[in-house]
Amino acid sequence: MTEQNVFPNQCGAAQNTPSSGRYPLPTADANGQVRVYFADKELLFACDNIPEDYHIVEDSADTPISKAKIVTFLETYNKIALRCENIQQSFDAIAEQFVWVESAGGVARNSADEVLLIRRNERWDIPKGHREEGESVEECAAREVEEETGVKIAGVERFLCSTVHCYNIYGKWEMKYTSWYAMRAEEGCQLVPQREEGIIDVQYIPICEVESAIKRSFPTIKEVFKTFFTKR
């Protein structure tokens, strides 16, 4: 299974082609724009067509934006847009200022048309975790679901999307690139939350109730389910 990113090679044009930069881009929207999340706050990379509710910051090769400046802006604004000439180049310039982390996870569905969710930090989430050396992305996604929930994966069905979020852990800023997959869960597995990872609950949620369940979830989780429902 080959993962692809949607990224603009020209402003406003999105194409399904592998990322050509030093760092892979998260999946782009229909306008070729990409988003990086800081918890509930958002950094948008765009050439043009920026929504009105974003605080715009100009970026260019002559005036590169630092990580510190982005973090400072996000203390004031919930949404900022980095207006740039080349999204891939601007993303690379930002990404190299963080510790880059790769992870994978997925939406596991059973035969009753329910999906597996974990509860952590008082929010519903999707199982995911760091990719280990020598492990394929699909293998990582399946292993993490099993470790965090106790549910074995019968098969990884398809790639959904990729997301990027940033966080400060013990004074070190990390940028996590996560590949997400749709999966088929084995039947009859006992649900066991991985409590050492802060997971307090694991549940199968009927697909018709997912939208309501994830209202308070992080934006990355909402992005994954938006794609999951579109590609069903």
Side-chain angles (χ1 to χ4, degrees), residues 65-84:
I65 302 298
S66 68
K67 174 186 65 182
K69 186 169 288 188
I70 289 172
V71 172
T72 299
F73 278 127
L74 288 172
E75 291 175 355
T76 303
Y77 304 99
N78 290 328
K79 294 181 177 182
I80 64 174
L82 203 60
R83 182 155 56 193
C84 47

Side-chain angles (χ1 to χ4, degrees), residues 35 37 161 163 218-228:
R35 290 166 169 79
Y37 294 98
C161 63
T163 62
F218 287 113
T220 49
I221 303 307
K222 295 177 182 179
E223 289 286 337
V224 175
F225 273 110
K226 180 180 177 181
T227 306
F228 176 78

Side-chain angles (χ1 to χ4, degrees), residues 11 22 39 43 53 61 67 70 85 89 91 109 116-117 119 133 141 147 152 154-155 170 174 176 182 198 201 208:
C11 290
R22 286 173 290 166
L43 170 62
D53 57 337
K67 174 186 65 182
I70 289 172
E85 298 174 358
Q89 290 179 6
F91 181 84
R109 178 170 52 181
L116 196 60
L117 294 182
R119 193 160 183 82
E133 186 176 354
E147 289 180 356
K152 294 183 181 298
Y170 306 121
E174 295 187 351
K176 180 177 286 187
D201 194 14
C208 62

Side-chain angles (χ1 to χ4, degrees), residues 15-215:
Q15 296 185 356
N16 285 313
T17 54
S19 177
S20 61
R22 286 173 290 166
Y23 298 92
L25 291 172
T27 301
D29 64 17
N31 293 319
Q33 301 171 346
V34 301
R35 290 166 169 79
V36 172
Y37 294 98
F38 293 69
D40 293 308
K41 299 194 174 188
E42 179 185 326
L43 170 62
L44 176 73
F45 290 79
C47 297
D48 49 24
N49 298 320
I50 298 173
E52 293 181 357
D53 57 337
Y54 287 77
H55 175 73
I56 299 176
V57 179
E58 302 293 341
D59 183 41
S60 69
D62 297 328
T63 57
I65 302 298
S66 68
K67 174 186 65 182
K69 186 169 288 188
I70 289 172
V71 172
T72 299
F73 278 127
L74 288 172
E75 291 175 355
T76 303
Y77 304 99
N78 290 328
K79 294 181 177 182
I80 64 174
L82 203 60
R83 182 155 56 193
C84 47
E85 298 174 358
N86 184 295
I87 289 176
Q88 181 70 68
Q89 290 179 6
S90 291
F91 181 84
D92 286 347
I94 296 296
E96 69 181 8
Q97 301 176 52
F98 290 78
V99 176
W100 182 262
V101 178
E102 292 189 7
S103 69
V107 179
R109 178 170 52 181
N110 64 14
S111 60
D113 221 18
E114 300 168 320
V115 295
L116 196 60
L117 294 182
I118 60 174
R119 193 160 183 82
R120 177 165 43 198
N121 298 325
E122 301 302 320
R123 305 189 194 212
W124 286 111
D125 204 343
I126 307 172
K128 67 178 181 304
H130 291 187
R131 184 178 173 187
E132 297 180 352
E133 186 176 354
E135 186 177 47
S136 73
V137 183
E138 294 91 338
E139 288 170 343
C140 171
R143 175 183 55 76
E144 286 292 340
V145 171
E146 181 175 347
E147 289 180 356
E148 294 193 350
T149 70
V151 174
K152 294 183 181 298
I153 297 303
V156 176
E157 296 180 331
R158 66 190 185 282
F159 173 71
L160 292 173
C161 63
S162 57
T163 62
V164 171
H165 71 281
C166 302
Y167 51 90
N168 188 324
I169 181 167
Y170 306 121
K172 179 177 65 176
W173 277 98
E174 295 187 351
M175 178 176 281
K176 180 177 286 187
Y177 176 90
T178 306
S179 303
W180 300 97
Y181 294 86
M183 307 175 176
R184 187 174 69 260
E186 286 191 9
E187 304 298 325
C189 297
Q190 182 180 0
L191 303 184
V192 182
Q194 191 178 21
R195 297 192 181 276
E196 60 267 32
E197 291 293 330
I199 302 169
I200 62 172
D201 194 14
V202 177
Q203 288 188 27
Y204 273 114
I205 305 293
I207 284 181
C208 62
E209 298 177 12
V210 168
E211 184 177 358
S212 176
I214 65 172
K215 280 184 178 179

